[in-house]
Amino acid sequence: MFFSANKLCRFHIDATDGECGKVKDFLFDDVLNITRYIVVNTGGWLIERQVLISPVAVSQPDFDSYVLPTVLSKKNIEDSPAIQSDLPVSRQHEHNMALYYNWPMYWDSINSSTNTSVTVEPKQIEGDPHLRSVSEITGYHIQCMEGAVGHVEDLIIDTESWCLRYLIIDTRDWLPSKKVIIAFDWITHITWEDRKVHIDLTQNQVKNAPTYDPRLPVNRAYETQLYDFYGRPSYW
């Protein structure tokens, strides 16, 4: 199922023995475009304590009740290592958390699949430079072939695979006001230092693209219309 990241950030975490916090953000791999962690605020009114939960520990969101179920208990979540609000999350913290939850360490599988050395480099100790925040990218300018064309208003996450599937673009500051979506696969690169997402599309393509209505679901019929309009091969 496809869900807006902004809407998912209103969801409460439902542990096996009761509610335990609220979704605050998502951390994703900016190379593979996959959600690595769900950031959960387990604190009360006065104390904000943030912990990370892997998508492998959650079930499908319940949109009617705004609940994200998890297989973890309240104690599992509340006693897990807390994180600082600033990125990057240190690899040591990820290592400690993987040990705490008995989760596989995803960077080992990446190293293995790419036949790279598993030697820990200094940058890995400090933190994974490819681990980014969804809230960080929100507001970034969209840079097409001719220039700016809008800004990132939201992201759409596939909660079956936890891939980041689409960017929701608001064009009102550059073009006649409308919202469109573009696939993450059409991003050529992101320049984090100047907060720009670069895409290999023209301004006219974005201007004339099918309008995105947040009240309607992103389903296969809409995706087919979108990919046909852009003339791009479908991922499915």
Side-chain angles (χ1 to χ4, degrees), residues 1 3 7-8 10-11 61-67:
M1 297 180 67
F3 285 91
K7 289 183 179 178
L8 284 170
R10 304 177 201 165
F11 279 48
D62 183 339
F63 193 77
D64 293 331
S65 58
Y66 280 68
V67 164

Side-chain angles (χ1 to χ4, degrees), residues 122-205:
K123 69 175 183 179
Q124 291 178 317
I125 296 173
E126 295 171 0
D128 186 347
H130 296 297
L131 197 61
R132 300 286 182 171
S133 160
V134 164
S135 63
E136 174 189 1
I137 197 174
T138 303
Y140 275 29
H141 292 172
I142 299 295
Q143 196 78 8
C144 68
M145 295 176 180
E146 304 95 333
V149 74
H151 67 268
V152 179
E153 182 176 270
D154 199 355
L155 291 83
I156 294 178
I157 299 175
D158 180 350
T159 58
E160 294 285 348
S161 62
W162 288 97
C163 288
L164 276 66
R165 190 64 68 189
Y166 297 106
L167 294 168
I168 300 175
I169 308 303
D170 190 328
T171 68
R172 68 176 180 266
D173 294 332
W174 289 268
L175 300 172
S177 181
K178 67 184 296 186
K179 289 182 175 62
V180 301
I181 67 174
I182 62 172
F184 259 81
D185 291 342
W186 306 339
I187 296 173
T188 60
H189 62 288
I190 300 174
T191 49
W192 303 98
E193 64 277 4
D194 60 0
R195 298 172 55 86
K196 290 182 180 179
V197 178
H198 300 259
I199 58 176
D200 60 347
L201 301 171
T202 66
Q203 284 184 333
N204 276 337
Q205 283 179 305

Side-chain angles (χ1 to χ4, degrees), residues 98-116:
L99 291 177
Y100 173 80
Y101 283 117
N102 195 28
W103 287 337
M105 299 177 193
Y106 68 84
W107 53 91
D108 286 343
S109 62
I110 292 174
N111 287 333
S112 175
S113 64
T114 56
N115 294 319
T116 58

